[in-house]
Amino acid sequence: MTPAVTTVVVAVAFAMAAWSLVLAARNKLPGRLTLGGLAVVELALLVQLAVAIVLLAQGHQVPQFWTFLGYLVASLIVVPVGAVWALSERTRWSSVVLAVACVVVPILVLRLNQIWGGSA
Amino acid sequence: MPETRERRATRSGFGRVLVAVYGIFALSASARAGVQIATKFSEAPLAFSLSALAAVIYIVATVSLALDGDVWRRLAFAACGTEFVGVLVIGTYSLLDRVAFPEATVWSDYGQGYGYVPAVLPLVGLFWLYYTRMRVRNVKS
């Protein structure tokens, strides 16, 4: 729906996933830099939400609207919920949980784009 | 040397990751089953009912692995066991009877649509329950 925002979300999310795995491998806890990266991902997802709302208000039709809504909501909650779960017990596994959340986001966003375009 | 009987919480350490992955599957299976049943249940009632069953099992597994205690541990064991049997039976069934499964469910083709994670996840869950079980440990004083 917005190639620029999609590219940012996918690129930053994958970069954050890789970074989180590096942290886990080096037995380090996620710090401010990691949380900042996650914030960028979430911010981009919120921009995507705003764009979707504007385009829908302008009359864009999504064939499978409820499926679209499901993916939209899921894409927005994965990072915050994942971060809370990851940081409520701070071990190297916190970083792995964050990596999992960061891998899921691009999957959701790419599916979201397919559904938006009606190709799935 | 004194002995202690100890057990690790299933939600701790690696369990954190396991619960997260289960949570993602609980969410996606529920959403998928919900949409399938709400919009086109009559197209494939069997497949979509099984989708809903899978969703319930994922929710039970997520919650029971995230909580600590004997009952939760047993429930988690039952959920992971059922899940493993389910993915094998439904995976095989979906390959043999394409008509009954016109659209993929989480467990169709052994979870191929989800990178076979659904086939591996219950084994990891069962392993983790075994790994964190009650153990008698010698404590050096």
Side-chain angles (χ1 to χ4, degrees):
Chain A
M1 71 196 114
T2 45
V5 177
T6 302
T7 308
V8 170
V9 172
V10 173
V12 179
F14 274 136
M16 288 308 300
W19 169 248
S20 300
L21 287 177
V22 169
L23 285 181
R26 296 178 61 196
N27 208 359
K28 294 223 166 130
L29 292 173
R32 272 191 204 163
L33 188 62
T34 313
L35 293 180
L38 294 175
V40 172
V41 174
E42 190 63 19
L43 198 66
L45 288 167
L46 288 170
V47 170
Q48 179 179 255
L49 170 72
V51 172
I53 290 172
V54 169
L55 291 176
L56 285 170
Q58 287 174 351
H60 180 92
Q61 294 288 321
V62 182
Q64 296 172 292
F65 181 73
W66 291 105
T67 308
F68 174 79
L69 202 63
Y71 275 99
L72 191 64
V73 172
S75 71
L76 287 165
I77 64 172
V78 164
V79 170
V81 172
V84 167
W85 182 245
L87 298 175
S88 53
E89 184 191 87
R90 290 173 183 249
T91 64
R92 61 159 43 178
W93 298 106
S94 307
S95 305
V96 182
V97 171
L98 291 179
V100 170
C102 288
V103 167
V104 171
V105 166
I107 298 173
L108 293 173
V109 168
L110 293 174
R111 280 287 293 152
L112 199 58
N113 275 274
Q114 288 177 342
I115 298 164
W116 179 263
S119 65
Chain B
M1 231 178 348
E3 274 181 359
T4 56
R5 286 164 68 78
E6 62 175 46
R7 187 176 61 190
R8 294 168 59 191
T10 49
R11 61 159 175 264
S12 254
F14 166 74
R16 221 77 195 157
V17 180
L18 189 63
V19 171
V21 175
Y22 262 108
I24 288 160
F25 273 87
L27 182 70
S28 64
S30 310
R32 188 166 203 172
V35 169
Q36 286 172 336
I37 288 172
T39 59
K40 50 193 172 185
F41 183 70
S42 56
E43 283 176 29
L46 176 68
F48 296 159
S49 301
L50 290 172
S51 266
L53 179 69
V56 171
I57 291 170
Y58 280 121
I59 293 168
V60 172
T62 308
V63 173
S64 55
L65 285 169
L67 297 172
D68 198 19
D70 275 339
V71 177
W72 292 116
R73 182 171 283 268
R74 266 184 231 134
L75 196 59
F77 187 78
C80 293
T82 313
E83 184 195 342
F84 185 59
V85 173
V87 74
L88 287 183
V89 171
I90 293 171
T92 307
Y93 190 14
S94 67
L95 288 174
L96 295 176
D97 188 355
R98 286 277 167 212
V99 181
F101 292 84
E103 194 176 332
T105 69
V106 183
W107 291 344
S108 303
D109 304 350
Y110 309 112
Q112 189 189 33
Y114 291 83
Y116 294 107
V117 175
V120 180
L121 197 55
L123 292 176
V124 178
L126 290 171
F127 167 78
W128 183 243
L129 285 164
Y130 176 74
Y131 188 79
T132 57
R133 74 199 182 283
M134 185 78 83
R135 268 189 277 203
V136 176
R137 204 172 275 189
N138 290 316
V139 180
K140 283 176 190 161
S141 49

